[in-house]
Amino acid sequence: MAPAAPAAPAPARRRNRRGEGARLREEIITAASQIIGETGDDTALTLRGVARRLGIAAPSIYRHFTDAGELKMAVVQRSFAEFARARDAASHDGDDPAAALLARCRAYIRFALANPGPYRYLFSQHAPTGDPARPPVNLPTFQALANSIRRCQQAGLARAGDDPQWLAAQVWAALHGLVLLRLNAPGFPWPGPLEQMADQAVARLIGLQTTPDRRPA
């Protein structure tokens, strides 16, 4: 029997013109995000593996990232930035703080379900933070949630008088739990749409005066 033919190498990537190095950096981060998303963690991520996926020489990556840890950090930072844009876009209209809070929480749900691999990685023990003493949570993102809750309290729309950060931690834990259960147990007969369940959980946790829609979609 003739030996199997070796796997064909990835097609060579066209060299970036002068000044296009920033585009290559973004392509490297995108490829790394895809690899993490496919595996659910970062154990399969290597600079050489990313180079093979892009069809470029490994030294091209070293011009942008000194090691895999630096690349993983870039993946985390961009994912949080993408989530922040989606969150802000969902709640930029209107003057109702309660509606804005619920819209932001629904944006969280949508982002997680649309990006399950990167989402799991963002909040896993493997995600890099740049500080071993700090958990892999983007503090500005968490603070934005606390600020949204504070605005509801100041407008008299939230009965809960606890510290906004205390309440934000509970809201985040509820949303995270709902997302992971939906991702990990898709066959469970959930009694309603995820976003409506999230709305009601958030409303009950902070005592929102606005009652979310309870009807099934």
Side-chain angles (χ1 to χ4, degrees):
M1 179 181 296
R13 180 184 180 280
R14 182 183 62 81
R15 285 177 63 99
N16 281 323
R17 295 188 294 272
R18 184 182 298 276
E20 291 184 336
R23 188 178 74 179
L24 175 57
R25 186 180 189 278
E26 291 303 308
E27 290 175 357
I28 292 169
I29 297 173
T30 297
S33 299
Q34 291 170 347
I35 292 172
I36 291 173
E38 291 163 5
T39 61
D41 59 44
D42 62 355
T43 58
L45 183 65
T46 65
L47 296 187
R48 291 188 179 277
V50 172
R52 284 194 299 271
R53 175 167 293 217
L54 290 175
I56 62 177
S60 299
I61 293 185
Y62 288 108
R63 297 190 187 102
H64 299 277
F65 300 99
T66 58
D67 55 31
E70 188 176 336
L71 177 54
K72 293 170 188 177
M73 177 63 77
V75 169
V76 168
Q77 291 172 338
R78 191 169 81 173
S79 293
F80 273 120
E82 289 173 348
F83 162 67
R85 285 193 293 271
R87 176 203 64 205
D88 293 343
S91 59
H92 74 282
D93 291 330
D95 299 322
D96 182 346
L101 171 63
L102 293 178
R104 285 174 170 236
C105 290
R106 287 193 291 270
Y108 179 102
I109 295 288
R110 294 189 194 110
F111 178 84
L113 295 183
N115 304 274
Y119 176 81
R120 285 190 174 101
Y121 180 63
L122 284 177
F123 299 111
S124 75
Q125 60 181 344
H126 303 291
T129 65
D131 179 359
R134 183 168 66 81
V137 177
N138 184 277
L139 295 183
T141 299
F142 177 80
Q143 190 59 48
L145 175 59
N147 291 341
S148 291
I149 293 173
R150 179 180 290 107
R151 285 191 288 272
C152 290
Q153 291 175 320
Q154 292 171 341
L157 298 174
R159 291 188 298 271
D162 303 279
D163 181 85
Q165 297 210 23
W166 174 269
L167 294 172
Q170 295 183 63
V171 168
W172 175 42
L175 295 176
H176 185 65
L178 285 169
V179 165
L180 287 187
L181 283 172
R182 288 290 180 123
L183 290 175
N184 295 338
F188 183 81
W190 296 101
L194 177 56
E195 290 187 7
Q196 290 184 9
M197 293 184 70
D199 279 354
Q200 291 184 31
V202 172
R204 287 167 179 162
L205 281 169
I206 68 173
L208 271 187
Q209 299 293 339
T210 300
T211 302
D213 183 7
R214 295 169 181 267
R215 294 171 298 176

